[in-house]
C-alpha cells in the first residue's frame, strides 16, 4: 500500500531482467538497496522517516524508472 506504515511491495515487470532497486529519502540519503530478478520486492519501512521517499529502479540495460513512496507516521 502507498502510503505505507510498516511495509510496501514494489511490483516490477519480469521482462526487464535484473533490477537494482533503491529508495532515497527527500534529503538524498539512500535507505534501501537491493539487486533482484524477482517480480516483487517487499520493503520493511518501519525505520523510514515519515514523508516522501523516492524509488529508483535501474534495469540491467541501464534504463531507469522512478516512483514515490509516502510513509505515514
Amino acid at each position: 500500500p502507498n502510503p505505507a506504515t510498516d511495509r510496501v511491495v514494489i511490483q516490477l515487470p519480469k521482462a526487464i531482467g535484473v533490477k537494482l532497486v533503491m529508495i532515497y529519502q527527500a534529503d538524498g540519503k539512500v535507505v534501501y538497496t537491493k539487486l533482484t530478478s524477482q517480480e516483487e520486492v517487499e520493503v520493511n519501512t518501519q525505520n523510514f522517516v515519515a514523508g516522501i521517499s523516492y524509488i529508483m529502479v535501474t534495469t540491467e540495460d541501464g534504463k531507469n524508472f522512478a516512483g514515490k513512496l509516502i510513509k505515514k507516521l
Side-chain angles (χ1 to χ4, degrees):
N2 195 9
T5 53
D6 61 350
R7 72 179 184 93
V8 66
V9 176
I10 302 169
Q11 295 183 346
L12 306 165
K14 184 177 182 179
I16 63 175
V18 176
K19 300 153 278 280
L20 175 62
V21 179
M22 298 181 79
I23 301 178
Y24 301 85
Q25 292 177 344
D27 65 2
K29 178 181 175 186
V30 177
V31 293
Y32 180 85
T33 303
K34 182 171 186 170
L35 187 61
T36 184
S37 59
Q38 298 176 350
E39 294 179 47
E40 287 188 349
V41 175
E42 185 172 327
V43 180
N44 180 340
T45 60
Q46 289 180 337
N47 294 324
F48 288 19
V49 296
I52 298 174
S53 294
Y54 300 93
I55 302 167
M56 178 66 71
V57 177
T58 303
T59 65
E60 62 187 346
D61 62 358
K63 293 181 183 171
N64 291 313
F65 300 90
K68 288 183 185 177
L69 167 66
I70 300 170
K71 168 69 163 109
K72 290 176 28 175
L73 292 174

